[in-house]
Amino acid sequence: MILVFGGTTEGRMVAQLLDIQQMEFYYSTKLGSQQDVPGRHTAGAMNAQQIVEFCTANGIRLLVDAAHPFAVQLHENISQAAALLGLKVVRVERRSPEYALANVRFFDSWQGMAEAALESGVEPILALTGVQTIVPLKDLWSSRRCYFRILNTVQSEQLARASGIAMSWIIQDSNPESEEALIELVRKTDAQVILTKDSGYSGGLEAKIAVSQQLEVPLWVLKRPSLPAFDYVVYERKELLMLLLRLKKELLATEELRPGFTTGTCVCAAVKASIIALEDGAFPNDVTVYLADGTPARFAIFPNKLDDDVASCSVIKDAGDDPDVTHAKEVGCTIYRREDVGVEFKRGVGIGLVTLPGLQVAVGEPAINPVPRTMIAQVVEEMAQHYSITGGFTVEPFVPEGEELAKRTFNGRVGVEGGISILGTTGRVFPYSAEAFMGAIRQQVRVARSLGCNEIVATSGKRSESTLKPLCEGVPANAYIHFGNFVGETIKIADEEGFDRITIGIMLGKAVKLAEGHLDTHSREVTFNSRFLANFAQSLGYAEDVVEAINNLTLANAVVDLIPFSVDEPIYQNIARQCHSVCQQAAGDRLRVRLVLIVGNEAPIVVG
């Protein structure tokens, strides 16, 4: 659960994004929100202790400070409460225009601004500072003609009356940030100076500066107060969503792993939003696309470009709890109108190019797999029917960080160069999916086979791969496969794809499980069996005290402390032989297996 301190433009933005992402949250305002925002609402000022009590009672795990920049005490209360609770705080800050203008003057306090006005004798004064500043500026309006523009709400009017100021000096305005309305207000009051505060773009500062320059009326600005040192500070909607998705995985994880969406689904959302923009003249705030099973998937839209025949936008990918390199990254699409009906695919920035045979996509094509191509074509067809579009579209997916992200994948080994692949079969990403992992292994094996390789080198990771390279001279890099924990499935795929030989490199921890007959060595499936290893040692004639010590181990690697490793040590030799036997039985008669046992940095044991 998240607690958002809002009541501002930024607060509304946070609430909308959290609602799109289906993240549960409370929306807190001082007087009761006048905004139409989703979420559970709570009203009333809270000090630090009250924030602590609220968070404790409601299971709050993240705080978002989207309150007004000048809500100084609230910022301090949030910071203090977060420290007491050990919670992280996201501050959604406002950007301010950059300006260096002769008639714009800055002040550090309301008192200093009031004293300057009194000394200058200037009047009438127009204060665009909000109802909360009437009392701090009492010395000014007590002796000078000073109009206060306030929001046209019951709460604002009550606060103004309570301050003691004559209501004839109060102007209630429901459209405060329109330049036209500001110009009319300045002329109506004959203001000789305008007072405001640095409330940023969303607070209308840019409009006030523009009016000040146009009418040549001095603008006096209260500087923005300093903020506590919050954990995260963001300024833009896209930046905020990227952060929220990272924190969703890091801080807000639940016991049940969450599924996410594929890059293919993300591109579909961008395509739909872009067609809407071309037809309606503006991008939607968000769109919903439907997965193969009818499940709706909602995405916030971030526009990039819109012309008569071209539209481009992006979404931020939520991969759920899967360790996906594109999680919380930007995925988008540019579409171009074309006369011919249907869809043509082009390669955008960060999308890989297929350079080797053996994949589902032909050499020279952008790495957009068949299922995502079909999904995208279906979206285009649906939108064409909805808008009665007679032509078609060129679809150009892009991932701005794709080329760099691809370096953390196996794309290079399967012949996808220069970026990531657009993948997906169901539209969903399932965390730690065995099906997806095995699909990736089969893809790598097929590419190796298409290159004429007869041997596969299967390892559990980079470290064991480095050990095997001197033993596998002449085997190209494309034939090195990471099996993770799926030893048996990798052997099966190598056999089905027609390989003659497979070399399997395995570390001691997985090797003990494999020797016991477990072809899937993941800890979810099987844990270290100390009794098996102890019996193994006993059958080889090791002393009873050593056997008993092995039986009490909790980690297989700890056996090295009891029996130092060497290539001649019987227990390690026999573990390697037993692993080879298990693998060869799984491979059958045709596929030959070579097993390499790796223990630390020592020379490995090779069987087969």
Side-chain angles (χ1 to χ4, degrees):
M1 184 67 75
I2 300 170
L3 175 58
V4 180
F5 294 90
T8 57
T9 302
E10 293 74 23
R12 183 189 296 111
M13 175 183 70
V14 174
Q16 289 173 344
L17 288 178
L18 291 174
D19 182 55
I20 290 171
Q21 294 304 131
Q22 297 184 321
M23 299 171 71
E24 293 186 328
F25 66 98
Y26 280 93
Y27 191 78
S28 172
T29 55
K30 183 177 180 180
L31 301 175
S33 177
Q34 299 296 310
Q35 301 172 310
D36 181 17
V37 296
R40 306 180 191 181
H41 289 225
T42 179
M46 289 191 282
N47 60 30
Q49 186 56 41
Q50 288 169 325
I51 293 174
V52 169
E53 292 170 358
F54 183 91
C55 291
T56 303
N58 293 282
I60 302 299
R61 298 167 65 186
L62 177 67
L63 300 174
V64 179
D65 181 356
H68 196 281
F70 285 84
V72 177
Q73 189 57 59
L74 176 57
H75 301 316
E76 289 295 336
N77 291 342
I78 293 170
S79 179
Q80 291 174 23
L84 291 169
L85 291 164
L87 296 179
K88 299 288 187 181
V89 182
V90 176
R91 169 60 186 166
V92 185
E93 190 56 283
R94 298 179 175 183
R95 292 198 186 278
S96 293
E98 294 183 3
Y99 41 74
L101 304 169
N103 66 337
V104 178
R105 184 176 174 186
F106 292 91
F107 293 85
D108 293 318
S109 66
W110 293 125
Q111 181 180 354
M113 188 180 286
E115 290 174 353
L118 291 171
E119 290 174 5
S120 68
V122 64
E123 59 179 333
I125 298 167
L126 175 59
L128 307 176
T129 53
V131 69
Q132 300 283 355
T133 65
I134 296 177
V135 172
L137 291 172
K138 184 173 183 178
D139 290 346
L140 183 58
W141 55 260
S142 295
S143 55
R144 291 283 186 274
R145 288 181 293 158
C146 185
Y147 295 95
F148 282 86
R149 185 198 64 183
I150 67 173
L151 292 175
N152 190 19
T153 65
V154 173
Q155 292 97 329
S156 292
E157 182 179 344
Q158 290 174 342
L159 287 172
R161 291 185 183 280
S163 71
I165 193 172
M167 291 305 291
S168 58
W169 296 109
I170 297 298
I171 301 169
Q172 290 186 274
D173 189 354
S174 56
N175 187 23
E177 308 312 341
S178 160
E179 284 190 27
E180 293 76 10
L182 283 174
I183 289 172
E184 182 181 347
L185 185 58
V186 172
R187 287 173 174 166
K188 178 181 178 180
T189 58
D190 192 30
Q192 299 304 298
V193 65
I194 303 170
L195 310 184
T196 190
K197 51 193 175 185
D198 181 2
S199 53
Y201 281 107
S202 61
L205 181 57
E206 191 173 29
K208 295 167 189 173
I209 292 173
V211 169
S212 167
Q213 297 303 296
Q214 181 177 336
L215 300 181
E216 298 183 348
V217 176
L219 180 69
W220 292 5
V221 183
L222 181 69
K223 293 179 183 178
R224 192 177 298 187
S226 59
L227 293 173
F230 291 130
D231 301 284
Y232 311 96
V233 178
V234 295
Y235 293 88
E236 307 294 342
R237 182 169 172 258
K238 184 188 298 183
E239 180 188 16
L240 172 61
L241 181 52
M242 288 177 168
L243 175 61
L244 288 174
L245 288 178
R246 291 199 301 270
L247 296 181
K248 190 176 183 179
K249 178 180 286 189
E250 297 168 8
L251 301 180
L252 305 174
T254 60
E255 289 186 5
E256 183 177 351
L257 294 176
R258 296 182 306 105
F261 301 109
T262 63
T263 47
T265 302
C266 292
V267 173
C268 285
V271 167
K272 182 174 181 177
S274 294
I275 295 177
I276 290 172
L278 284 175
E279 296 300 317
D280 293 349
F283 283 96
N285 183 67
D286 60 89
V287 297
T288 298
V289 294
Y290 293 88
L291 308 184
D293 63 357
T295 302
R298 189 179 174 199
F299 291 86
I301 299 300
F302 300 91
N304 294 323
K305 180 181 181 180
L306 179 59
D307 289 333
D308 291 341
D309 297 317
V310 181
S312 179
C313 69
S314 58
V315 303
I316 308 302
K317 179 176 176 178
D318 180 2
D321 290 317
D322 193 68
D324 191 317
V325 297
T326 54
H327 177 69
K329 300 297 183 181
E330 187 175 359
V331 178
C333 191
T334 302
I335 66 170
Y336 307 84
R337 291 189 190 273
R338 56 197 296 261
E339 292 184 2
D340 296 337
V341 176
V343 177
E344 175 191 38
F345 289 96
K346 288 182 64 177
R347 178 188 175 210
V349 172
I351 303 300
L353 180 71
V354 177
T355 63
L356 294 176
L359 298 177
Q360 300 177 60
V361 179
V363 172
E365 283 285 310
I368 307 169
N369 276 12
V371 172
R373 288 178 185 240
T374 300
M375 291 169 58
I376 293 166
Q378 288 174 345
V379 169
V380 170
E381 182 179 356
E382 290 168 5
M383 300 306 292
Q385 290 179 0
H386 178 77
Y387 285 107
S388 299
I389 299 171
T390 56
F393 293 96
T394 296
V395 174
E396 185 179 283
F398 62 83
V399 177
E401 297 180 60
E403 186 170 0
E404 192 62 32
L405 293 172
K407 296 176 183 177
R408 293 156 55 188
T409 72
F410 292 115
N411 271 15
R413 292 192 176 182
V414 299
V416 175
E417 302 291 344
I420 67 162
S421 304
I422 302 299
L423 303 173
T425 53
T426 64
R428 283 278 197 185
V429 173
F430 294 97
Y432 303 94
S433 165
E435 180 183 357
F437 195 91
M438 295 316 303
I441 291 176
R442 186 176 292 276
Q443 186 178 65
Q444 294 177 68
V445 169
R446 284 178 173 171
V447 168
R449 191 68 179 137
S450 70
L451 294 175
C453 299
N454 290 316
E455 179 179 357
I456 283 291
V457 181
T459 72
S460 58
K462 287 284 188 182
R463 183 178 173 187
S464 51
E465 178 181 313
S466 299
T467 302
L468 263 64
K469 282 184 176 179
L471 302 174
C472 303
E473 293 183 4
V475 178
N478 305 85
Y480 281 77
I481 309 299
H482 286 186
F483 61 74
N485 290 286
F486 300 106
V487 181
E489 288 293 330
T490 304
I491 293 171
K492 178 182 177 183
I493 291 172
D495 185 41
E496 290 174 346
E497 297 298 329
F499 282 84
D500 298 329
R501 182 180 176 90
I502 182 170
T503 296
I504 300 173
I506 193 163
M507 310 290 278
L508 182 58
K510 294 181 188 295
V512 171
K513 297 177 182 179
L514 180 60
E516 195 179 0
H518 300 288
L519 287 162
D520 180 351
T521 60
H522 198 288
S523 57
R524 291 195 305 263
E525 303 297 327
V526 58
T527 57
F528 167 57
N529 184 352
S530 61
R531 170 49 60 189
F532 165 77
L533 188 58
N535 290 342
F536 200 77
Q538 188 175 43
S539 70
L540 294 171
Y542 285 90
E544 284 301 319
D545 60 334
V546 173
V547 171
E548 185 59 30
I550 292 174
N551 190 47
N552 292 325
L553 295 179
T554 57
L555 293 173
N557 288 322
V559 73
V560 178
D561 295 329
L562 300 173
I563 306 173
F565 175 82
S566 79
V567 293
D568 299 321
E569 187 64 43
I571 191 170
Y572 302 113
Q573 284 187 340
N574 281 275
I575 287 173
R577 292 191 188 108
Q578 183 64 19
C579 287
H580 177 266
S581 176
V582 170
C583 292
Q584 189 61 69
Q585 287 180 30
D589 297 331
R590 194 191 61 79
L591 180 65
R592 290 183 296 120
V593 176
R594 177 168 58 161
L595 193 290
V596 181
L597 176 62
I598 303 165
V599 180
N601 296 318
E602 302 295 330
I605 296 175
V606 182
V607 180

